[in-house]
Amino acid sequence: MKTKIQKLACLCCLSAGISVLPVCAQDNAQEIQFDIQAKQSLFPVQSTMYGVFFEDINFGADGGIYAELVKNRSFEFQDALMGWIPFGTVKIEEKDPCFERNPHYVRLSFGQEITQTGLENEGFKGMGIKAGESYFLSTYARVQSKRPVRIRIELISESNHIFETKELTVSGNDWKKYQVTLTPQQTEKRAHLRLTLIDPGTIDMDHISLFPENTYKKRPNGLRADLVEALKDLHPGIFRFPGGCIVEGTTRATRYQWKNTIGPVENRPTNINRWFYTFSYRKFPDYYQSLGLGFYEYFLLSEDIGAEPLPVLNCGLSCQYENDDMDEHARLDELQPYIQDALDLIEFANGSASSKWGKIRAEMGHPAPFNLKFIAIGNEQWGSIYVERLKPFVEAIRAKYPDIKIVGGSGPQASGEEFDYLWSEMKNLQVDLVDEHYYRHPEWFLSNAKRYDSYDRNAPKVFAGEYACHTDTQANSFLAALCEAAFMTGLERNADVVQLCTYAPLFAHVDAWQWRPDLIWFDNLSVFKTPNYYVQQMYSRNKGTDVVKLTRNNQPVAGENDLYASAALDKQTNELIIKVVNTGMYRRSITWNLEGFADGKRTAKVQSLQSLDLGNTQLVPTESSIELDVPKAKLTIKPFSFSVYRIPL
Ligand code: AHR
């Protein structure tokens, strides 16, 4: 009876998204024993096991990790002045441009009028400015007259107060780059930029850019240091990029093309973002990709955060949800350039500095190869049209680069006829890994903790490439995080099959998101880590080196009494790592039978996420230590908790 009440209460809460539980945690007297073969490795955990998946969604790139503060710096959005508020005489021109692939520029003219001429840029929901830090305003400009023209540069607060002013003088009729350093003494979350002509004359400007000096590692064209640090703190083993749906594109023309994302940033052609709309109530017609964060920068970021790069390339199909006829897809006889893009990408990443594409990488600043080991072809594609296209990619990559691991897809569903069809085709094609995606409700996550126990051990491995627990509200919550933690015990227990996994999406701007939940939220100045983030971090920082057997009555611990558990050995630190999740409202007393431990005492380190408020979004893990008698260690597992124990062997 007790169990039944408990189950009802839990499932009610889970499906209705109830936040604070109506009951108090209580003890459940039942004695439970878990057996752990603490010193017998079953199989290794791949160093790539837990990673991150980056997509330019929710303003994750432009307006997010890419530190550029100016929106539409190249005047290439469909409405060329989108993001800008012109005043006075302002025109868009394209004759005799500065950048061939971004030909539009702005012409500002000023005579003796009373009204001034200039432009304001709104940034990405404003510009985050920090007092005492330096910002580089740069532009390419020329004058149409003989005399130089001065421009006033101002930073303006949300309350319309000018808090930094500098001047720039432009001279000569040829395009030249200019740079001015701003050193504001005021912090603003939603500042904007104003440029005003001071002298009479006509001036052309393009690629108007504002970057903080303090990007990650102070790199020019760099990334927001706080967001990179948040990724590093996850200790990711794999870094999947650049999407997601943006790889496919809303149309064939707007698919992601990596070759457009390398070389000088000024000449990378702007592309509309697939996420300019999602749900009817959230439209972002101003969502474009400057591609300033391109494939070179993605590879560099992988290196910075210590993860193996995993680029995803378009397979010749655009988004199948958007395009159900063949007009927007490449025919089979048109596929060769797409395949060549994949081969060239491998050369760009791994080729010598004297190879055609390796040379470009070297010229961009990275003579050493990036040591690419994985490539994914296609995102959420389905049907025979995907399989037919993937096949020639696999053949070409295998022939030229037999060591590269190829990731194929299983479509947007996590089960069903289409999923089964794709899996059988992936086996036929002998891809190395199959990418599975699941954005599912809490019950699904809990019941799928056993998902991989029965997977074919001789088939391609699994890449859980996009997953997140979605409650009814689709908000981040401790509830979702807890269900993810429970599910992930099943990933760890099956680390011989599941070799990579990445939560999705990764980033979201609090004022400009299209999709939730997300792992990391940010505004223009700050970062907010979710309980879901900490679950990922607790797994990745405690992945250990080898999985060991953890059972109750010789069965995996995957839901009985609301408990989920897995264990790993860390051969480097000589510790046993136990992860245990209690998704129920009862405290549980567990005897851990640590086979292989001699009689004695151990001090274990404990990290725990626990709350009775399942809607909690502020939760952070606590750290403590505990004395244990081994080999039969007794532990009390709190209700609604995820804990990691590190026990010295
Ligand atoms: O992560 C958000 C989107 O979900 C991805 O772009 C796509 O692959 C999936 O449908």
Side-chain angles (χ1 to χ4, degrees):
M1 187 61 189
K2 223 174 185 180
T3 313
K4 199 166 178 199
I5 292 167
Q6 172 207 341
K7 265 275 180 280
L8 281 174
C10 284
L11 288 181
C12 278
C13 296
L14 294 178
S15 11
I18 288 174
S19 135
V20 182
L21 284 172
V23 288
C24 290
Q26 342 171 351
D27 280 310
N28 185 296
Q30 192 187 4
E31 267 291 335
I32 299 172
Q33 178 171 307
F34 291 165
D35 300 307
I36 304 182
Q37 293 181 355
K39 294 189 177 173
Q40 283 182 37
S41 162
L42 289 177
F43 37 78
V45 184
Q46 303 298 314
S47 61
T48 47
M49 179 74 180
Y50 305 105
V52 286
F53 159 47
F54 184 94
E55 176 166 26
D56 187 2
I57 184 172
N58 304 317
F59 285 72
D62 292 292
I65 199 169
Y66 183 53
E68 172 65 86
L69 295 170
V70 173
K71 179 156 77 186
N72 191 13
R73 64 188 175 188
S74 296
F75 305 95
E76 297 298 332
F77 288 13
Q78 199 175 1
D79 167 358
L81 279 170
M82 200 177 254
W84 295 94
I85 303 168
F87 50 93
T89 310
V90 177
K91 282 196 216 150
I92 294 295
E93 301 282 354
E94 55 182 320
K95 190 165 174 271
D96 188 17
C98 191
F99 304 107
E100 196 196 333
R101 298 207 292 178
N102 281 324
H104 297 99
Y105 58 88
V106 72
R107 173 164 295 173
L108 309 175
S109 302
F110 180 50
Q112 300 298 341
E113 302 92 340
I114 299 169
T115 328
Q116 294 194 309
T117 282
L119 283 171
E120 287 188 9
N121 190 275
E122 65 188 25
F124 299 92
K125 303 285 169 190
M127 299 173 176
I129 302 287
K130 291 184 183 162
E133 300 202 357
S134 294
Y135 293 82
F136 303 129
L137 183 289
S138 64
T139 184
Y140 292 77
R142 65 183 174 195
V143 288
Q144 292 291 343
S145 50
K146 283 198 175 126
R147 270 186 295 175
V149 176
R150 285 173 303 150
I151 304 167
R152 189 181 313 116
I153 300 160
E154 293 163 320
L155 287 177
I156 302 171
S157 72
E158 202 176 359
S159 56
N160 254 334
H161 157 78
I162 299 166
F163 64 98
E164 169 68 349
T165 307
K166 282 276 159 65
E167 270 183 31
L168 164 71
T169 304
V170 177
S171 58
N173 306 133
D174 296 329
W175 288 108
K176 282 194 294 258
K177 185 173 182 179
Y178 295 84
Q179 181 164 305
V180 172
T181 302
L182 309 180
T183 45
Q185 297 305 315
Q186 188 169 319
T187 295
E188 281 290 328
K189 198 195 286 186
R190 295 192 187 88
H192 62 276
L193 171 73
R194 185 191 289 154
L195 308 175
T196 312
L197 292 199
I198 300 174
D199 303 314
T202 295
I203 182 168
D204 295 337
M205 295 173 86
D206 201 356
H207 200 88
I208 303 173
S209 165
L210 182 65
F211 259 95
E213 178 188 32
N214 287 331
T215 55
Y216 182 72
K217 293 195 174 171
K218 296 206 170 179
R219 286 195 189 119
N221 191 50
L223 305 182
R224 244 179 84 164
D226 55 349
L227 295 181
V228 177
E229 291 298 345
L231 297 186
K232 265 178 97 170
D233 282 353
L234 280 169
H235 292 202
I238 192 88
F239 180 62
R240 178 182 184 236
F241 60 88
C245 291
I246 68 161
V247 170
E248 304 160 38
T250 317
T251 58
R252 184 175 170 182
T254 57
R255 71 189 187 278
Y256 196 96
Q257 299 185 58
W258 75 267
K259 287 177 180 167
N260 287 345
T261 76
I262 58 167
V265 285
E266 297 86 346
N267 218 4
R268 299 182 191 175
T270 307
N271 191 14
I272 193 157
N273 190 303
R274 157 76 181 77
W275 296 106
F276 69 98
Y277 74 94
T278 20
F279 312 114
S280 53
Y281 60 95
R282 295 189 77 81
K283 289 196 171 140
F284 291 87
D286 59 345
Y287 201 177
Y288 280 70
Q289 301 169 76
S290 72
L291 303 177
L293 168 57
F295 262 41
Y296 175 79
E297 291 78 17
Y298 280 124
F299 279 115
L300 214 53
L301 178 57
S302 311
E303 202 168 76
D304 288 334
I305 61 178
E308 297 288 350
L310 167 48
V312 187
L313 294 196
N314 185 291
C315 65
L317 297 172
S318 60
C319 177
Q320 286 170 269
Y321 286 116
E322 299 291 330
N323 305 292
D324 52 11
D325 56 37
M326 286 308 292
D327 296 350
E328 287 295 344
H329 307 304
R331 292 190 317 263
L332 288 177
D333 62 5
E334 294 172 323
L335 208 56
Q336 193 47 41
Y338 293 72
I339 296 172
Q340 195 57 46
D341 276 357
L343 299 175
D344 292 344
L345 177 66
I346 298 170
E347 185 177 294
F348 176 74
N350 292 355
S352 77
S354 59
S355 64
K356 179 178 170 194
W357 292 97
K359 184 165 181 275
I360 298 176
R361 180 198 69 235
E363 283 165 359
M364 289 184 77
H366 204 286
F370 282 117
N371 201 11
L372 177 70
K373 301 188 181 84
F374 299 89
I375 194 166
I377 307 296
N379 177 45
E380 285 181 351
Q381 316 292 171
W382 64 81
S384 56
I385 56 171
Y386 173 47
V387 177
E388 285 164 358
R389 281 158 185 74
L390 180 59
K391 189 167 185 280
F393 273 91
V394 172
E395 287 166 356
I397 296 169
R398 291 274 188 252
K400 192 155 186 200
Y401 298 106
D403 294 337
I404 293 284
K405 291 199 164 143
I406 302 174
V407 182
S410 60
Q413 306 304 332
S415 57
E417 215 175 292
E418 188 61 44
F419 175 85
D420 294 341
Y421 162 73
L422 285 170
W423 250 105
S424 73
E425 293 298 331
M426 293 306 123
K427 287 181 188 173
N428 291 339
L429 290 176
Q430 298 184 349
V431 298
D432 297 286
L433 294 117
V434 177
D435 183 9
E436 295 190 354
H437 294 181
Y438 23 84
Y439 298 100
R440 297 300 175 104
H441 46 76
E443 293 89 332
W444 186 95
F445 270 83
L446 298 185
S447 59
N448 274 268
K450 289 186 184 154
R451 178 182 179 87
Y452 296 110
D453 292 359
S454 52
Y455 261 51
D456 183 351
R457 266 49 201 170
N458 298 312
K461 302 300 176 193
V462 172
F463 170 30
E466 293 184 29
Y467 66 93
C469 174
H470 284 203
T471 62
D472 288 353
T473 62
Q474 295 188 326
N476 281 88
S477 64
F478 177 50
L479 164 63
L482 198 59
C483 294
E484 286 152 9
F487 172 76
M488 288 174 78
T489 58
L491 302 185
E492 180 173 279
R493 185 173 55 252
N494 291 287
D496 56 331
V497 167
V498 186
Q499 300 204 332
L500 321 169
C501 57
T502 53
Y503 181 99
L506 181 61
F507 283 127
H509 191 299
V510 294
D511 295 328
W513 54 272
Q514 297 83 45
W515 182 296
R516 67 177 189 181
D518 304 287
L519 207 62
I520 301 168
W521 290 79
F522 58 88
D523 64 20
N524 290 341
L525 292 174
S526 312
V527 184
F528 314 104
K529 295 172 179 172
T530 61
N532 315 72
Y533 173 96
Y534 290 113
V535 165
Q536 296 296 318
Q537 190 186 53
M538 285 164 72
Y539 268 91
S540 61
R541 285 190 172 179
N542 296 291
K543 64 176 171 291
T545 54
D546 295 73
V547 173
V548 298
K549 197 167 173 186
L550 183 155
T551 52
R552 182 183 181 207
N553 299 329
N554 224 11
Q555 294 301 314
V557 175
E560 205 186 329
N561 299 310
D562 302 314
L563 293 170
Y564 301 78
S566 57
L569 198 62
D570 193 329
K571 286 182 175 162
Q572 276 153 13
T573 60
N574 241 355
E575 288 170 305
L576 172 67
I577 306 169
I578 302 173
K579 302 184 183 76
V580 58
V581 181
N582 183 357
T583 60
M585 68 175 82
Y586 293 108
R587 223 178 338 252
R588 299 285 180 185
S589 297
I590 300 179
T591 302
W592 303 82
N593 180 25
L594 308 180
E595 294 169 26
F597 274 68
D599 274 7
K601 291 201 182 294
R602 295 286 189 282
T603 306
K605 284 181 258 169
V606 192
Q607 212 187 359
S608 213
L609 265 186
Q610 197 265 336
S611 175
L612 295 185
D613 176 2
L614 292 177
N616 195 334
T617 54
Q618 313 289 321
L619 199 60
V620 295
T622 55
E623 288 182 15
S624 58
S625 59
I626 185 172
E627 287 293 309
L628 297 175
D629 289 321
V630 294
K632 294 229 169 175
K634 289 210 187 289
L635 280 174
T636 301
I637 308 299
K638 288 186 180 168
F640 303 108
S641 64
F642 168 41
S643 303
V644 180
Y645 296 84
R646 295 190 75 108
I647 310 172
L649 292 180

